[in-house]
Amino acid sequence: MGRTVGPERILVLRPRALGDVLLATPVFRAFKRAYPNTELHVAVDDVLLPLVQRNPHIDRLWAMPRRRPRRGRDWLRLYAGLRRARFDLVLDLHGSPRTAFLAWWTGAPVRVGYALRGRGRFYSVRVPRDTDRHGRRRALYAAQNNLEILARCGVPAPCLTDVTLEFTPDPVVETSVEAWFTALVPGRPRVGLSAPGTWQAKTYPVERWAAVADGLASAGCAVVLLWGPGEHAIAVEVQRHMRQPAVLLPPTGIDAAAAVVARLDLVVCNDSGIKHVAVARGTPTLTLYGPTNPAAWSPPAGPHAGLRAGVPCLACNRTQCIHHICMRLLSPDAVIRRALEIVTPPGAAEAPCGS
């Protein structure tokens, strides 16, 4: 495959989750840089469409039904449309049984996916997970790991170096959020705390989050409690445990949440999707790590830091843990100190955070 001559039509399957979709955006950019005349299609869960609906590298989006009525009919329509599209190459970045079958169902001659038991047979090119383009097992930043897969598709190496995450904001939403957010959170610096997490094992305890929020508020920071779909109760619980005031973010969609994150001076979070939204919007992050590996989920450059407790079982990748010591031994004081180091300008370390 050359730089200007490539597949006529490509499909990338990346249905979920929020962070994983953003981590796939360097793939869309790399495909278009390598093959500018190629028609690039992307299939994503319908609830996550706002993440990529204005992405400049995507020619067509396919909504994978997740939370809408008549899902069966919508799935049949999707299957029929993908079959008719006659793709030359399909890249499955998700690797579920459904997406593996979808890749095969398209009839594309080149189907690239992970070499997973029971699913690999649906692909013509099978890639071992967490390996670089030479087949060596390495812990790479997830966005770079996605780009390494493109090397197996023949994408030239110069197109596989940019791991910048892309989110194209909605200018109407940005203007609207600017007005109400400035009124809602007048102080600076503004620190967003995101207590929810997709796994129990990588979620910092609620009472610890409240202690962190109190410490930052006492130092003069304006604390904003962030939450997404299904996470409101956790944010409310953090606020209930607090002694200092904090702003609980009102219900928002993805575009508005991203606009809020862009106006924060720091996001402190578990290893979760909101962290990748912050990375895409250029907002500094402080991530609390336990069962996941920072090498895989932290960008190699930029104002992004991480904290871990000193325990031997770090990066176990377990979703559930009865001990949970990697999070329980991470002290709120350590989190507060590191957060204040990030938001306090050099030379002003002795001054209150909000001065």
Side-chain angles (χ1 to χ4, degrees):
M1 296 181 183
R3 177 169 172 75
T4 57
V5 179
E8 181 179 338
R9 193 169 291 114
I10 294 173
L11 170 66
V12 178
L13 298 167
R14 180 66 273 188
R16 58 180 74 174
L18 188 151
D20 292 325
V21 172
L22 287 173
L23 287 161
T25 55
V27 166
F28 312 150
R29 182 174 57 244
F31 265 138
K32 275 298 190 176
R33 285 180 177 175
Y35 314 125
N37 299 319
T38 290
E39 194 175 291
L40 180 63
H41 296 227
V42 174
V44 64
D45 278 357
D46 51 9
V47 296
L48 296 177
L49 286 174
L51 289 171
V52 289
Q53 64 186 5
R54 288 172 299 278
N55 187 289
H57 311 294
I58 299 173
D59 295 297
R60 178 170 179 179
L61 278 170
W62 297 81
M64 300 181 72
R66 184 173 171 190
R67 294 179 185 170
R68 64 166 84 159
R70 300 192 183 95
R71 289 181 63 203
R73 182 181 300 177
D74 290 337
W75 276 112
L76 288 175
R77 189 178 295 115
L78 175 66
Y79 275 92
L82 292 179
R83 183 79 171 189
R84 286 195 301 266
R86 301 180 65 84
F87 296 105
D88 302 293
L89 187 156
V90 175
L91 171 60
D92 180 8
L93 289 176
H94 188 54
S96 71
R98 186 189 289 274
T99 56
F101 177 79
L102 265 179
W104 172 83
W105 171 257
T106 65
V110 180
R111 303 177 306 280
V112 184
Y114 295 113
L116 300 172
R117 188 171 66 177
R119 282 160 262 179
R121 66 179 183 275
F122 290 107
Y123 309 122
S124 62
V125 178
R126 289 168 287 278
V127 180
R129 275 193 184 275
D130 302 320
T131 58
D132 65 15
R133 67 195 69 179
H134 305 294
R136 296 173 300 196
R137 190 169 182 82
R138 297 171 59 191
L140 296 169
Y141 178 43
Q144 183 62 56
N145 194 55
N146 289 336
L147 292 176
E148 295 296 293
I149 298 172
L150 296 199
R152 276 87 157 191
C153 303
V155 175
C159 299
L160 304 178
T161 58
D162 187 356
V163 295
T164 306
L165 308 189
E166 286 190 66
F167 176 88
T168 304
D170 182 332
V172 175
V173 173
E174 295 286 316
T175 300
S176 174
V177 168
E178 176 65 31
W180 65 257
F181 186 70
T182 301
L184 189 68
V185 193
R188 297 296 290 265
R190 299 162 176 162
V191 180
L193 265 61
S194 180
T198 50
W199 305 351
Q200 174 267 343
K202 66 177 181 179
T203 303
Y204 201 49
V206 165
E207 63 276 8
R208 302 291 182 93
W209 276 119
V212 170
D214 279 336
L216 293 173
S218 296
C221 297
V223 175
V224 182
L225 302 178
L226 307 171
W227 58 278
E231 300 172 346
H232 182 253
I234 299 175
V236 169
E237 189 71 3
V238 173
Q239 189 178 48
R240 188 178 69 83
H241 279 80
M242 290 181 63
R243 299 185 303 274
Q244 298 289 332
V247 175
L248 180 64
L249 192 69
T252 61
I254 288 176
D255 284 319
V260 167
V261 166
R263 285 156 177 78
L264 295 171
D265 298 293
L266 174 67
V267 169
V268 187
C269 55
N270 301 302
D271 182 17
S272 59
I274 198 70
K275 175 254 189 68
H276 304 293
V277 174
V279 172
R281 294 309 308 263
T283 300
T285 62
L286 174 59
T287 306
L288 312 186
Y289 286 103
T292 54
N293 190 342
W297 301 108
S298 289
H304 306 291
L307 277 179
R308 309 169 85 185
V311 296
C313 55
L314 290 172
C316 66
N317 220 35
R318 291 184 177 180
T319 59
Q320 298 284 330
C321 180
I322 61 172
H323 306 293
H324 211 211
I325 58 173
C326 60
M327 287 298 184
R328 288 192 296 106
L329 294 182
L330 189 56
S331 77
D333 286 344
V335 179
I336 294 166
R337 282 196 303 271
R338 189 69 184 95
L340 292 178
E341 288 172 1
I342 295 171
V343 297
T344 302
E350 300 303 318
C353 179
S355 63

